[in-house]
């Protein structure tokens, strides 16, 4: 065994620092200072040392960008400071109104930082004492996906902060930005995929998002991704007062910052900058779909505050969509994974903003009727948000005389089941559990946390099982055998065993979870609880006439008709019986009315709880007859407040809604009999 000396340790440290600096010069500044041969020599020497002395390998070593072993899932990543979305504006007057609102609140001593709005995937990078320790996608703003291994492979993501210019390294720095795919890299990658007979990516944004979310980080490492940074989350050991100052410090720390950012002192300068970017748009080496404007002064941002989903101190001013003219060759009825039947226009291929567009969703029959789109029509198409193709209008002057109006079919084009469309609902649906077009989506839903909760049976494996013919219907999940699984690529013996054990555990469930798993239209977790408590057994629910269903509190005509139609379908009843035959069981008795201490009450949860997960707190409320909703309103009875609550807490105070801390929540749960004396409130 080789002995690690201090001299070798220092050499490795010097090589890491030198290579990281060369990476910064090459990938961020586009200004290399050494030849490729010299860089390769340094890199090979570091690899050699780390190979001989594995204890030298550090998280910030440039050799760690190659990717880690494939994972079976992407764990959750919590944003301690929510990553909010921005309000999108499209008209000049909307921008002027935004500026007026800001100045009416904070006065005229305000400036704005204008930045290009990149079309990529929003992410957060967490650095502790200068070293990258975690990375996550935006997700819903509070919970995203942990993509640390993947982001380490992106060349423009610093593994360690640069400490140049005497800048102290903060003990905590959460950096936010966008991972995107430069156009040249996107085109080259699609060319390689075409030569290999692989499916092409639709656009750089989808390619970037898919690349970051890979379970195998070596795939991410092979993709031409880049980072642009523009915001901060939590920090410690650093004081910053303006967006302009922040961008400067991010650049000093080694983060890519866009060089087109500009300080604007008036709304006229905002409009001028937006027009300037729109002129530059087609000449840039990356996709942008607008400009972002943020109040520059952080103190003024605090004064302006935030709404529930977006800050009052920033906007995204989008560019006008690109438009072209083409011909509708056909209209297909596409069956989605949830049973929705969507008309899709097949178009003569047309170039739209650097992307070939050959299809556009027509959404539903009402949309077809409103726009009067027919096969053979000449139409104007655009990419909504420069991503999703859509038909804007028909060029009636060029309509051939023989074209006729289009109607969606009366039967599912995949399985032949009569389609359904409720009054007031624009969506036409196939209700069959046996429809093969829906099977992947139905299995994923059946296995989800709110339903049968089959850990490990996610989107990736569902797609593989269906593709391999192992699962064709929901009951087939319970027929999977180990010898079928271990022969699949990347399904190890232990993984197969874990999945089979999770499937076996899922057989012992509750009636509400089972109802949720069936994916009945309008029957979510709360309605499933109401049905189970109101009728007590699956048989009673399956056979209840509409009049009986509507006697249950909160079950109106729409939900009642949906439940009745679902169980009137013989195919659906057959699938339910097959699931029961496979051993799926649950207790079928309604809880005593005296236990419904929270009946009819609405709760909202905010912040991190210590003694409960969100799911556990929700379950405790629901089994006592209460309901958990996502937003605070005057009809909310309680807001349960954990650590670091968000804007829902502020909204509760504003509306005078009662709030509970965790101890008070436990006291409320422990009440016996109907709600009487309430716990003292915050």
């Amino acid at each position: 065994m080789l002995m690690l000396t201090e001299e070798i340790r220092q050499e490795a440290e010097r090589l890491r620092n030198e290579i990281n600096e060369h990476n910064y010069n090459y990938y961020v500044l586009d200004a290399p200072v050494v030849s490729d041969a010299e860089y390769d020599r340094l890199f090979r020497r570091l690899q050699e040392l780390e190979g001989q002395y594995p204890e030298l390998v550090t998280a910030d070593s440039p050799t760690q960008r190659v990717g880690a072993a494939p994972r079976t899932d992407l764990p959750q990543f919590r944003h301690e400071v929510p990553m909010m979305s921005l309000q999108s504006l499209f008209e000049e007057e909307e921008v002027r109104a935004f500026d007026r609102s800001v100045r009416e609140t904070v006065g005229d001593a305000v400036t704005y930082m204008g930045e290009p709005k990149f079309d990529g995937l929003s992410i957060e990078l967490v650095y502790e004492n200068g070293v990258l320790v975690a990375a996550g996608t935006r997700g819903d703003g509070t919970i995203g996906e942990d993509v640390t291994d993947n982001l380490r492979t992106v060349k423009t993501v610093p593994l360690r902060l640069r400490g140049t210019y005497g800048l102290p390294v903060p003990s905590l720095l959460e950096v936010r930005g966008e991972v995107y795919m430069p156009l040249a890299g996107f085109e080259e990658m699609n060319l390689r995929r075409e030569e290999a007979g692989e499916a092409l990516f639709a656009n750089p944004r989808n390619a970037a998002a898919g690349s970051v979310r890979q379970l195998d980080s070596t795939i991410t490492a092979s993709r031409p991704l880049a980072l642009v940074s523009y915001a901060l989350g939590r920090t410690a050991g650093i004081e910053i007062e303006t967006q302009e100052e922040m961008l400067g410090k991010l650049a000093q720390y080694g983060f890519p910052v866009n060089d087109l950012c500009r300080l604007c002192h008036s709304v006229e300068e905002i409009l001028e900058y937006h027009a300037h970017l729109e002129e530059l748009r087609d000449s840039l080496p990356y996709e942008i779909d607008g400009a972002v404007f943020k109040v520059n002064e952080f103190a003024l941002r605090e004064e302006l505050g935030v709404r529930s989903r977006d800050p009052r101190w920033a906007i995204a001013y989008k560019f006008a969509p690109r438009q072209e003219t083409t011909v509708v060759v056909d209209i297909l009825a596409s069956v989605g994974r949830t049973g929705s039947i969507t008309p899709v226009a097949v178009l003569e291929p047309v170039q739209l903003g650097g992307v070939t567009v050959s299809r556009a969703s027509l959404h539903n029959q009402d949309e077809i009727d409103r726009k009067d789109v027919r096969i053979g029509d000449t139409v104007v198409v655009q990419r909504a948000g420069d991503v999703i193709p859509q038909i804007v209008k028909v060029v009636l002057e060029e309509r051939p005389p023989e074209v006729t109006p289009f109607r969606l079919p009366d039967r599912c084009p995949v399985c032949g089941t009569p389609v359904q469309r409720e009054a007031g609902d624009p969506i036409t649906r196939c209700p069959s559990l046996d429809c093969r077009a829906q099977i992947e989506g139905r299995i994923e839903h059946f296995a989800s946390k709110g339903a049968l909760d089959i850990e490990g049976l996610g989107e990736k494996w569902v797609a593989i099982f269906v593709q391999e013919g192992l699962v064709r219907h929901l009951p087939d999940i319970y027929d999977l055998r180990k010898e079928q699984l271990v022969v699949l690529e990347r399904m190890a013996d232990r993984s197969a065993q874990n999945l089979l054990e999770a499937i076996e555990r899922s057989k012992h469930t509750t009636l509400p979870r089972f109802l949720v798993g069936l994916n009945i239209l309008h029957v979510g977790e709360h309605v499933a609880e109401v049905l189970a408590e109101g009728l007590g057994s699956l048989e009673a629910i399956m056979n209840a006439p509409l009049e009986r269903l509507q006697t249950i509190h909160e079950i109106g005509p729409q939900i009642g008709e949906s439940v009745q139609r679902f169980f009137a379908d013989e195919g659906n009843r057959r699938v339910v019986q097959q699931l029961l035959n496979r051993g799926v069981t649950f207790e079928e008795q309604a809880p005593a009315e005296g236990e419904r201490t929270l009946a009819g009450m609405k709760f909202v949860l905010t912040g991190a709880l210590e003694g409960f997960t969100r799911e556990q707190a929700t379950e405790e409320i629901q089994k006592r007859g209460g309901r958990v909703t996502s937003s605070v309103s005057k009809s909310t009875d309680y807001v349960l407040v954990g650590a670091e609550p968000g804007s829902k807490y502020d909204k509760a105070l504003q509306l005078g809604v009662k709030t509970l801390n965790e101890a008070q929540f436990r006291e409320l749960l422990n009440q016996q009999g109907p709600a009487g004396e309430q716990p003292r409130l915050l």
Side-chain angles (χ1 to χ4, degrees):
M1 182 176 177
L2 296 173
M3 179 175 293
L4 177 60
T5 65
E6 184 59 29
E7 182 181 2
I8 292 173
R9 191 185 298 277
Q10 289 178 1
E11 181 186 3
E13 178 67 16
R14 178 184 59 79
L15 286 167
R16 280 195 297 270
N17 292 337
E18 193 171 343
I19 293 170
N20 278 330
E21 192 68 12
H22 289 319
N23 283 339
Y24 174 74
N25 291 329
Y26 185 88
Y27 293 108
V28 179
L29 300 183
D30 195 22
V33 295
V34 296
S35 67
D36 289 349
E38 174 63 13
Y39 178 89
D40 290 342
R41 185 188 67 78
L42 296 170
F43 197 89
R44 283 196 301 271
R45 175 56 179 162
L46 180 58
Q47 285 180 312
E48 178 186 334
L49 289 178
E50 291 182 348
Q52 293 175 338
Y53 306 96
E55 59 267 45
L56 285 176
V57 178
T58 61
D60 64 316
S61 175
T63 62
Q64 300 307 294
R65 290 192 187 274
V66 296
R71 301 162 72 163
T72 58
D73 67 338
L74 291 175
Q76 288 187 345
F77 179 99
R78 175 174 288 276
H79 302 287
E80 299 302 333
V81 176
M83 290 184 71
M84 307 190 81
S85 57
L86 296 183
Q87 181 185 14
S88 292
L89 306 182
F90 296 88
E91 304 295 336
E92 176 181 323
E93 183 47 45
E94 293 178 312
V95 178
R96 291 186 181 277
F98 163 73
D99 176 64
R100 284 196 299 271
S101 174
V102 168
R103 294 179 186 277
E104 286 170 2
T105 303
V106 301
D108 288 331
V110 60
T111 57
Y112 302 96
M113 180 57 70
E115 305 169 15
K117 184 180 179 301
F118 276 73
D119 200 12
L121 180 72
S122 299
I123 55 95
E124 179 174 81
L125 304 164
V126 182
Y127 293 80
E128 293 180 357
N129 298 314
V131 177
L132 176 65
V133 296
T137 62
R138 179 184 179 276
D140 64 5
T142 301
I143 301 293
E145 298 157 315
D146 189 319
V147 289
T148 307
D149 291 340
N150 296 351
L151 267 295
R152 288 187 192 280
T153 72
V154 178
K155 301 295 193 301
T156 48
V157 171
L159 300 179
R160 176 183 287 273
L161 303 183
R162 298 172 74 242
T164 56
Y165 313 107
L167 201 65
V169 174
S171 57
L172 174 65
L173 191 70
E174 292 180 346
V175 178
R176 292 166 176 188
E178 203 92 355
V179 173
Y180 65 97
M181 190 171 287
L183 293 174
F186 171 74
E187 291 165 5
E188 181 182 347
M189 183 182 68
N190 258 355
L191 182 61
R192 292 198 307 268
R193 294 178 70 87
E194 186 175 23
E195 291 171 348
E198 298 174 340
L200 303 186
F201 285 106
N203 52 62
R205 183 186 185 279
N206 287 359
S211 299
V212 170
R213 291 191 174 103
Q214 291 291 323
L215 295 176
D216 185 348
S217 60
T218 61
I219 296 176
T220 310
S222 71
R223 303 278 173 82
L225 298 171
L227 169 75
V228 62
S229 56
Y230 49 65
L232 293 177
R234 295 180 304 163
T235 63
I238 183 174
E239 295 294 332
I240 300 176
E241 296 183 356
T242 66
Q243 180 78 4
E244 184 177 31
E245 180 187 1
M246 184 204 71
L247 293 175
K249 287 194 175 180
L250 285 177
Q252 288 178 310
Y253 283 135
F255 293 94
V257 173
N258 190 265
D259 56 5
L260 294 176
C261 298
R262 180 195 295 177
L263 195 63
C264 301
H265 297 82
S266 66
V267 71
E268 300 304 330
E269 290 188 16
I270 285 178
L271 299 174
E272 178 190 336
Y273 176 76
H274 180 267
H276 173 65
L277 279 188
E278 195 158 18
E279 287 178 9
L280 289 178
R281 181 185 193 183
D282 290 331
S283 64
L284 295 174
Y286 43 78
E287 284 271 13
I288 62 173
D289 58 359
V292 172
F293 296 96
K294 307 171 185 174
V295 168
N296 186 42
E297 298 81 10
F298 289 180
L300 298 185
R301 293 183 184 182
E302 289 290 330
E303 193 173 339
L304 287 160
V306 299
R307 288 177 282 264
S308 60
R309 296 179 60 86
D310 52 80
R312 290 189 173 89
W313 43 263
I315 56 167
Y317 186 11
K318 306 293 281 292
F319 294 144
R322 295 176 170 119
Q323 296 185 340
E324 291 290 348
T325 302
T326 187
V327 174
V328 179
V329 177
D330 199 358
I331 299 177
L332 305 177
S334 172
V335 184
R337 295 169 69 175
T338 60
S340 59
I341 299 178
T342 304
V344 178
V346 180
L347 309 171
E348 286 187 358
V350 61
Q351 283 287 314
L352 202 56
V355 175
T356 300
V357 172
S358 58
R359 294 193 173 212
S361 171
L362 290 167
H363 303 294
N364 52 59
Q365 186 65 55
D366 289 350
E367 183 75 354
I368 292 177
D369 295 343
R370 185 177 70 81
K371 293 180 177 177
D372 192 19
V373 179
R374 308 181 185 186
I375 298 171
D377 273 340
T378 297
V379 294
V380 176
V381 295
Q382 70 181 23
R383 287 168 63 208
D386 283 337
V387 176
I388 304 169
Q390 63 180 201
I391 291 177
V392 180
K393 65 178 181 178
V394 175
V395 183
L396 292 174
E397 296 81 2
E398 299 188 28
R399 168 172 284 172
E402 68 276 10
V403 301
T404 58
F406 177 85
R407 301 295 305 174
L408 282 171
D410 295 329
R411 291 183 173 272
C412 173
V414 174
C415 69
T417 301
V419 300
Q420 296 177 357
R421 181 181 174 187
E422 295 185 355
D425 186 354
I427 306 300
T428 302
R429 306 174 194 274
C430 170
S432 175
L433 286 173
D434 276 334
C435 181
R436 71 175 185 274
Q438 304 176 55
I439 191 60
E440 287 186 28
R442 287 194 178 277
I443 294 171
E444 286 176 33
H445 180 82
F446 188 81
S448 65
K449 271 189 172 298
L452 278 289
D453 193 15
I454 306 177
E455 186 177 354
L457 189 55
E459 180 179 354
K460 171 193 166 185
W461 286 116
V462 169
I464 291 173
F465 294 162
V466 173
Q467 181 181 340
E468 295 293 325
L470 299 178
V471 178
R472 293 185 176 88
H473 309 283
L474 283 180
D476 294 344
I477 296 170
Y478 295 101
D479 295 334
L480 288 170
R481 301 185 307 277
K482 192 170 185 179
E483 57 267 28
Q484 294 175 307
L485 302 182
V486 293
V487 297
L488 299 174
E489 187 177 357
R490 296 179 186 163
M491 176 65 85
D493 184 274
R494 186 60 193 160
S495 299
Q497 186 61 38
N498 288 342
L499 178 57
L500 291 174
E501 289 174 1
I503 291 172
E504 186 63 27
R505 285 196 300 272
S506 75
K507 291 181 179 180
H508 309 290
T509 185
T510 65
L511 177 55
R513 282 181 174 272
F514 184 74
L515 292 172
V516 170
L518 295 178
N519 201 19
I520 306 167
L521 183 63
H522 303 312
V523 178
E525 294 181 30
H526 176 65
V527 172
E529 291 275 358
V530 170
L531 286 169
E533 292 174 0
L535 291 172
S537 73
L538 177 61
E539 183 179 2
I541 294 170
M542 291 176 67
N543 298 315
L546 179 60
E547 295 76 15
R548 175 67 182 96
L549 289 168
Q550 288 186 242
T551 64
I552 304 170
H553 178 60
E554 296 189 70
I555 303 298
Q558 186 181 50
I559 296 174
E561 289 171 6
S562 176
V563 172
Q564 188 182 51
R565 276 200 307 268
F566 182 88
F567 288 115
D569 184 277
E570 286 302 318
N572 291 348
R573 296 177 77 94
R574 183 172 58 251
V575 169
V576 169
Q577 188 58 54
Q578 289 171 347
L579 287 168
L580 299 178
N581 292 344
R582 297 313 196 270
V584 177
T585 61
F586 36 80
E587 292 184 5
E588 295 192 325
Q589 61 179 43
E593 187 65 29
E595 296 175 11
R596 292 170 53 80
T597 57
L598 305 180
M601 295 186 183
K602 292 182 182 178
F603 288 73
V604 172
L605 313 183
T606 182
L609 302 173
E610 292 184 3
F612 301 88
T613 64
R614 286 284 181 106
E615 292 77 14
Q616 289 169 340
T618 299
E619 188 174 343
E620 292 294 333
I621 291 168
Q622 289 178 341
K623 73 184 184 184
R624 290 166 174 78
R627 182 178 180 184
V628 175
T629 61
S630 59
S631 58
V632 181
S633 68
K634 289 184 178 179
S635 65
T636 303
D637 292 285
Y638 292 111
V639 173
L640 174 56
V641 181
E644 299 185 20
S647 58
K648 294 175 184 178
Y649 178 56
D650 298 331
K651 185 70 176 290
L653 296 180
Q654 178 186 340
L655 296 177
V657 174
K658 300 171 184 176
T659 59
L660 298 170
N661 60 27
E662 195 163 340
Q664 293 166 332
F665 178 59
R666 288 182 182 278
E667 184 180 343
L668 189 64
L669 295 180
N670 291 332
Q671 289 180 154
Q672 298 299 315
E677 183 182 350
Q678 303 297 318
R680 289 181 299 105
L681 305 174
L682 289 171

